[in-house]
Amino acid sequence: HLSTLDEDLDPTSHPGLLSLSTALVSPTILQHRDKDVRLHAVLAACELFYIFAPEPPWEESEIIEIFGQLIRQLGNLHATSPGASNFDSYFRILEQLSEVKIGVVLVDLIRTERGGTGDEEGSSAASETLCDLIRTLLNCVHVDHPPEVATHAELAVSACIEEFEGSVPIQVLEEVLTCVGAGP
């Protein structure tokens, strides 16, 4: 895993990482017709979020595209049992969301828009994407999953909500409350 690299790594001194991040968001990779290529592109993007933190190497529209594919991949976790072939990959995405707090990138995009310096259309996309992410996180947990799945999903949602620092948008709260209201 790229995440085993030194945390003090200066990504700009490694042009291969920058070119990899550029290649990952190309439609030929991120929207590839093979589901395994899309899954591994998301896994690689998660590792790059970690390496480049706190500033991802992509433009806002590319970040939204990555999260769109990440959400689609994570949604597969609900129907995947722990023994299935891709369970570990889906679980790794969930781990990255909770441990690296990748979802906070969307919160930052939304906050930029609130400050009046962001592109309204892109930031609306960030809000919608964050709501999709939270909905997926809350719905991906299945009764047959190990308890770690629920724990990571909870931590990922909590990280996003806490990042708003008390000013959580209504549509984000609605996603959480809708899931809570639906029950187990």
Side-chain angles (χ1 to χ4, degrees), residues 54-146:
E55 293 296 325
W58 301 287
E59 299 293 322
E60 183 173 334
S61 62
E62 294 169 328
I63 291 170
I64 299 299
E65 287 180 43
I66 292 167
F67 271 99
Q69 190 58 247
L70 182 149
I71 291 164
R72 286 188 287 281
Q73 295 301 321
L74 191 60
N76 293 325
L77 182 60
H78 180 73
T80 307
S81 62
S85 62
N86 284 335
F87 178 82
D88 289 339
S89 296
Y90 300 138
F91 183 74
R92 180 67 185 147
I93 294 169
L94 184 59
E95 274 184 321
Q96 290 285 67
L97 282 165
S98 72
E99 293 173 1
V100 182
K101 300 178 172 65
I102 296 170
V104 168
V105 170
L106 292 171
V107 176
D108 288 341
L109 293 177
I110 294 166
R111 257 201 313 237
T112 299
E113 188 271 332
R114 282 182 168 180
T117 59
D119 172 58
E120 190 170 319
E121 181 178 324
S123 295
S124 293
S127 295
E128 291 174 23
T129 303
L130 180 61
C131 287
D132 289 345
L133 177 63
I134 289 173
R135 183 180 322 108
T136 302
L137 284 165
L138 294 173
N139 292 319
C140 75
V141 180
H142 190 274
V143 69
D144 294 332
H145 288 155

Side-chain angles (χ1 to χ4, degrees), residues 27-75:
T28 56
I29 301 294
L30 201 57
Q31 303 301 326
H32 197 277
R33 65 180 172 193
D34 186 309
K35 65 180 180 172
D36 287 330
V37 171
R38 294 187 307 267
L39 173 60
H40 287 91
V42 168
L43 286 165
C46 287
E47 298 293 344
L48 288 169
F49 273 114
Y50 170 77
I51 291 169
F52 282 91
E55 293 296 325
W58 301 287
E59 299 293 322
E60 183 173 334
S61 62
E62 294 169 328
I63 291 170
I64 299 299
E65 287 180 43
I66 292 167
F67 271 99
Q69 190 58 247
L70 182 149
I71 291 164
R72 286 188 287 281
Q73 295 301 321
L74 191 60

